[in-house]
Amino acid sequence: MFRSTEPTQIKMKTIYLLFLFCHVSSSVKHSYKNFVTTTTGVSNTPEFMITLMINDIEVGYCDSNKKFEVKRETMKNILEDDPQFLKEHVHDCFEKLPNIYKNILNTLTKYWNQSGGVHVLQIQNGCEWDENTGEVVGFLQCGYDGEDFMSLDLKTMNWIALNPQTVGTKQIWDADKFAINEAEISITYIYPELLKKYLKYENSSSLRPVLPSVSLLQKTPSSPVSCHATGFYPDRVDMFWRKDGEEIHEDVDHGEILPNHDGTFQMRVDLNISSVKPEDWSRYDCVFQFSGVKKDVITKLDKAEIRTNRVPPSEFPAAVIGVVVGLLLLLVCITGLFIWWKKKKN
Ligand SMILES: *[C@@H]1O[C@H](CO)[C@@H](O)[C@H](O)[C@H]1NC(C)=O
Ligand SMILES: *[C@@H]1O[C@H](CO)[C@@H](O)[C@H](O)[C@H]1NC(C)=O
Ligand SMILES: *[C@@H]1O[C@H](CO)[C@@H](O)[C@H](O)[C@H]1NC(C)=O
């Protein structure tokens, strides 16, 4: 129920991009969502996992097996600039939060006399912030063993039982004003601030470009040479081939900028080298540059630098060669036998 599938993510991303391009639109909403999963009785998975999504794109993941992953460049920058914040975050994720959520889950299983077996508590909390109106809408929902269970009503500061069996738990949770208060502070104050900080960093990220690694690729000796850049950020870049330092357009094919899974981008520009004389190769180079930033990556057209996915004969596995040689020998033998038999017959 709380799982966000790839297609929705992609859809949301498209919608978000549309928002970016239509600045006239009166409401620009951004979202900050935590997906928390706590399990008991499941082997091979961490007992506690949390995924943070901003505008429906995963920016961070952490679990009780002490795995801490930052998925977006913007988030990396925020954490690098604020080591104290990073330390607290890691501590919360490895120690504090797993304990809190494990306790809640234990209390629930005990309350329902379900000790033992497999149980899952899922919590989705976060906020939406409207950039134009400044309005913040928070939410917190819980699921237990795959069923909607409880949500927090931020107006009345009471829990809402989402299923008749949870009315008893609601009364117990309602009495815990401290927990409700903590949740409210996170949802209506801490998360919106983090969201705004993230968006601000993202906006100014063009000041902090991440350079790509660039390589030259070629399928066969007669194919175009592909200048391939990957791992760069942001995506406002130019890439082109030069001859004697001048940009060329003839025999050049530009690829599109494509997103990588880690939030960086990749791109390629192909050069058809069929009319380039071998002695002229050194006059060509491939240039990668960020728009408006003086940081170029220049790669010379050099045979020694080209990577290919062709398998040269010398790299054929020995076993294959063995089989081929064996077949040839067999053929020679059969032919020999045939000639000998024919000669004998005559
Ligand atoms: C759990 O078991 C106790 C004692 O057997 C019983 O009194 C209680 O009603 C049970 N709780 C639930 C939610 O069924
Ligand atoms: C990001 O930049 C856009 C365009 O410059 C601006 O309209 C928007 O308010 C900025 N957002 C934040 C959160 O700084
Ligand atoms: C490269 O250019 C040659 C002629 O200049 C042309 O025949 C060939 O089709 C081109 N190759 C590609 C992949 O465009």
Side-chain angles (χ1 to χ4, degrees), residues 20-76:
L20 279 183
F21 289 122
C22 312
H23 279 299
V24 276
S25 115
S26 63
S27 104
V28 182
K29 281 192 177 150
H30 301 281
S31 66
Y32 182 103
K33 290 178 196 162
N34 285 307
F35 294 83
V36 183
T37 307
T38 312
T39 56
T40 176
V42 187
S43 49
N44 301 329
T45 36
E47 283 188 318
F48 173 82
M49 293 175 270
I50 180 163
T51 300
L52 170 61
M53 305 196 55
I54 290 182
N55 286 335
D56 293 291
I57 294 167
E58 184 174 346
V59 299
Y61 168 88
C62 174
D63 67 35
S64 51
N65 286 355
K66 309 243 188 284
K67 187 165 163 187
F68 190 90
E69 282 180 352
V70 179
K71 304 265 175 150
R72 307 287 292 196
E73 216 42 59
T74 306
M75 204 63 193
K76 275 182 204 153

Side-chain angles (χ1 to χ4, degrees), residues 224 251 272 274-275:
D251 294 328
N272 183 345
S274 59
S275 51

